[in-house]
Amino acid sequence: MHLTIASPPEYATDAHVLAEAREVMAQTGGSVTPTTEPIAAVRTAQAVYAEVWVPMDKPHEREERAARLAAYRVDDALLARAPREAVALHCLPAVRGEEITSEVLDGPRCLVWNQAANRLPTAQAVLHTLITSNRRRTVWPPARRP
């Protein structure tokens, strides 16, 4: 997979996370490319993935983040810069008009609802495993690797 992450400099991906991602991608023939240019990021994309702008624990940053991230909104104009077969994705919940527009969310190139439906069996499997596993073997939180 070739991943391009578009964000303003002040919201850039953590350098350690980026280095680890690059290491994994190098082993699999993929790549990770950060950019501050949203149009450049979607130019060859197969999927354009919108991310929540305001974390639930930072509602006081809404106005600042909205101003800084407006150019990164996944809207019809940005999606038009992607290849015709590119689809729109979002982890939900989405704030319509902020990180993704209603036109894209409800449009023909959006797979957000399929994406959400596909998460259900995964979540059920995780819950089943947690509930039915031998608790003595389960360590929580997981030990951190050095």
Side-chain angles (χ1 to χ4, degrees), residues 1-81:
M1 173 172 53
H2 300 285
L3 176 66
T4 302
I5 304 169
S7 66
E10 56 271 25
Y11 298 117
T13 304
D14 179 82
H16 293 99
V17 172
L18 198 54
E20 191 171 323
R22 283 184 167 141
E23 185 177 312
V24 170
M25 293 294 211
Q27 295 170 7
T28 61
S31 64
V32 178
T33 306
T35 182
T36 59
E37 301 296 327
I39 293 171
V42 303
R43 196 168 285 135
T44 60
Q46 292 177 322
V48 179
Y49 202 114
E51 178 60 80
V52 173
W53 285 1
V54 184
M56 289 184 185
D57 64 335
K58 297 182 181 181
H60 57 282
E61 295 181 10
R62 179 167 301 283
E63 286 182 31
E64 175 189 337
R65 286 175 176 259
R68 290 183 175 179
L69 294 165
Y72 299 86
R73 176 177 294 112
V74 178
D75 57 15
D76 284 337
L78 183 62
L79 205 52
R81 301 295 188 115

Side-chain angles (χ1 to χ4, degrees), residues 63-126:
E63 286 182 31
E64 175 189 337
R65 286 175 176 259
R68 290 183 175 179
L69 294 165
Y72 299 86
R73 176 177 294 112
V74 178
D75 57 15
D76 284 337
L78 183 62
L79 205 52
R81 301 295 188 115
R84 194 174 311 220
E85 66 277 1
V87 297
L89 299 171
H90 193 294
C91 62
L92 297 178
V95 179
R96 290 173 181 260
E98 271 193 12
E99 66 269 9
I100 191 166
T101 62
S102 290
E103 292 76 24
V104 171
L105 267 175
D106 299 326
R109 295 174 72 180
C110 184
L111 293 181
V112 169
W113 312 116
N114 299 52
Q115 179 186 7
N118 288 336
R119 275 195 303 270
L120 180 60
T122 303
Q124 290 171 329
V126 169

